[in-house]
Amino acid sequence: MGKTAMAALAAVLLLAAACDDAGQNTQAAGGGAAPPPPAVTVAAPRVEPLIEWDEFTGRFDAVEDVVVRARVTGYVQEIHFEDGQLVEKGQLLFTIDPRTYEADVAAANADLVSAQAAQRLATDNLNRSEKLVSGRTISESTLDQARQAKASADAAVQAARAALARAQLDVEFTEVRSPITGRISDARVDVGDLVIGDNNPTELTRVVTIDPMYFTFELSERDYLGYQRSRLTGDMAEARNGTVQVELQLSDEDEWTRAGAIDFVDNTVNRGTGTIRLRAVVPNGDGVITPGLFGRLRLPGSPVYDAILVPDSIILSDQSQKLVLAVNKDNVVEAVPVRLGPRELGMRIIRSGLTPEHRIIISGVQKARPGMTVTPQEGRIELPSESQGAGSDQ
């Protein structure tokens, strides 16, 4: 190698050494250091005393629902109500032409007077016969005939009185009155219509009570058995005595603003559906509920206990398993398998997996991975009613 080539190689090695020194100085200055652990917000699970509720769909029914029908035949003379109004028990609704029945009362009264006259005559004849038979003026058979005539006269009086009472009832039935207090439907007939009161009586209208109301729903066989076993252990009250309180809402309501109590549990399970029928009594002072409306009911599914709650937004899925990320004492992320319960108070109940001592990640979940070291910052899980959006993953 010539002197010129040797000089060129020495220059290249010197330049490479200078570059290595520069790179080492840069690393020493921190330009290539690993990034710090990501910051996350951690908090203990929220613990709240609560009752779990089971929800059911059902229908509202009137406590009393009466179809008003004609009890006598005749022409409608008057209608005494406005369609859809509130009526009182005993209020006059329809008048059916009573003249035919008033004539029947007069005839029955005359028959009674005649029967009473015959009764008096038979009584006098019997009294005379009893005196004469003692003096052997008449025979015993004649006395027996007098006694028979008296008994027949007594029966005739009773029959006449019954016929008069029946005729008076028919006159009473020409005034059709409301059997209950409630809201009346429209009139099914008009003035002048002929209504029938015999074997197939004419429907005149319908009256339903409005306060309180019934709410009827079905309970599955499995749920029913669960409630029965809880009742036997003393955790739940007996539903049949009206002590189980429930909450209800209409189809356009978001809050459980109405309250009631279970007052009836059927005595058999429906073999076709595997359900049993229950009924709750619900006050309807505002008159909003109408028979036939659908609604939702919830009843206590557990006694009061301390439930562990977390936001839905921090729950992760790993195939069929649900996970929550927690930070241990070394600030390392751990995946905690959990079993979920229903939502209460706007949060998710954790059946198992978490304890109040866990430090779960409530913010920054997307930056954390199991086994990663993080920089935890203390936070607090707030209920939606306390602060909108607090404690959720951002």
Side-chain angles (χ1 to χ4, degrees):
M1 183 180 294
K3 293 182 179 180
T4 302
M6 290 291 293
L9 179 58
V12 171
L13 293 175
L14 183 61
L15 179 61
C19 290
D20 289 341
D21 292 341
Q24 291 176 2
N25 292 336
T26 303
Q27 290 184 0
V40 296
T41 303
V42 298
R46 184 76 180 239
V47 178
E48 291 288 336
L50 54 77
I51 297 175
E52 290 187 27
W53 299 85
D54 294 330
E55 297 184 13
F56 304 92
T57 300
R59 187 188 296 272
F60 290 97
D61 297 308
V63 172
E64 295 180 90
D65 185 342
V66 181
V67 176
V68 181
R69 299 182 185 274
R71 302 180 72 173
V72 293
T73 298
Y75 290 93
V76 177
Q77 195 173 66
E78 289 184 81
I79 299 176
H80 302 277
F81 66 91
E82 297 293 331
D83 293 347
Q85 77 174 75
L86 293 174
V87 296
E88 297 293 328
K89 181 178 181 179
Q91 181 175 331
L92 183 61
L93 304 179
F94 298 90
T95 298
I96 299 172
D97 189 353
R99 290 174 294 180
T100 300
Y101 301 102
E102 290 172 345
D104 291 342
V105 169
N109 194 48
D111 291 342
L112 176 60
V113 172
S114 177
Q116 288 172 334
Q119 183 188 44
R120 287 193 295 270
L121 178 59
T123 301
D124 293 341
N125 287 338
L126 177 60
N127 292 335
R128 284 192 294 267
S129 296
E130 289 175 341
K131 292 178 181 178
L132 292 174
V133 77
S134 62
R136 298 185 181 278
T137 305
I138 62 173
S139 64
E140 288 288 340
S141 61
T142 302
L143 177 61
D144 290 341
Q145 291 174 357
R147 288 171 176 166
Q148 182 180 6
K150 172 62 167 59
S152 297
D154 290 344
V157 169
Q158 291 179 359
R161 283 175 175 163
L164 176 60
R166 175 61 185 270
Q168 290 171 334
L169 273 179
D170 287 342
V171 172
E172 182 180 334
F173 292 156
T174 61
E175 292 187 342
V176 182
R177 299 181 179 275
S178 177
I180 58 175
T181 296
R183 189 174 298 281
I184 197 167
S185 182
D186 59 337
R188 309 288 200 263
V189 295
D190 295 317
V191 173
D193 281 344
L194 176 66
V195 296
I196 307 299
D198 296 330
N199 295 331
N200 188 23
T202 304
E203 180 180 337
L204 303 178
T205 188
R206 182 179 181 183
V207 185
V208 298
T209 55
I210 58 174
D211 186 24
M213 298 287 288
Y214 283 147
F215 184 85
T216 305
F217 63 101
E218 304 283 335
L219 198 66
S220 72
E221 183 176 336
R222 185 181 184 87
D223 288 339
Y224 175 70
L225 288 174
Y227 282 110
Q228 288 293 83
R229 297 189 189 283
S230 296
R231 180 183 63 81
L232 293 175
T233 59
D235 292 333
M236 300 292 291
E238 168 60 63
R240 285 187 169 89
N241 59 17
T243 58
V244 176
Q245 302 299 309
V246 297
E247 297 180 352
L248 302 99
Q249 62 178 207
L250 300 178
S251 58
D252 65 339
E253 295 176 336
D254 296 325
E255 301 296 329
W256 302 92
T257 57
R258 302 177 184 273
I262 301 294
D263 80 319
F264 168 76
V265 179
D266 210 346
N267 58 356
T268 59
V269 174
N270 187 309
R271 296 184 179 182
T273 62
T275 59
I276 188 169
R277 184 166 57 96
L278 285 79
R279 187 181 68 197
V281 179
V282 186
N284 187 33
D286 56 7
V288 171
I289 304 175
T290 299
L293 284 177
F294 279 99
R296 292 188 63 81
L297 172 146
R298 67 176 189 174
L299 56 83
S302 73
V304 178
Y305 74 102
D306 289 333
I308 293 179
L309 305 172
V310 301
D312 274 324
S313 57
I314 72 167
I315 299 172
L316 306 177
S317 296
D318 181 12
Q319 297 181 354
S320 62
Q321 191 176 44
K322 299 298 183 181
L323 305 171
V324 171
L325 297 183
V327 176
N328 64 19
K329 62 181 181 179
D330 297 322
N331 295 337
V332 176
V333 177
E334 296 177 340
V336 181
V338 294
R339 185 166 67 90
L340 306 183
R343 283 179 57 84
E344 294 290 348
L345 304 178
M347 308 196 76
R348 180 67 59 182
I349 293 176
I350 301 300
R351 296 280 194 210
S352 62
L354 288 182
T355 67
E357 289 72 32
H358 272 100
R359 300 164 67 212
I360 59 175
I361 300 177
I362 61 173
S363 181
V365 174
Q366 76 281 2
K367 298 183 291 185
R369 297 291 183 272
M372 175 187 295
T373 300
V374 294
T375 303
Q377 299 174 351
E378 296 299 326
R380 179 176 179 270
I381 296 176
E382 294 186 347
L383 299 178
S385 58
E386 297 172 342
S387 176
Q388 293 296 327
S392 64
D393 188 15
Q394 301 298 326

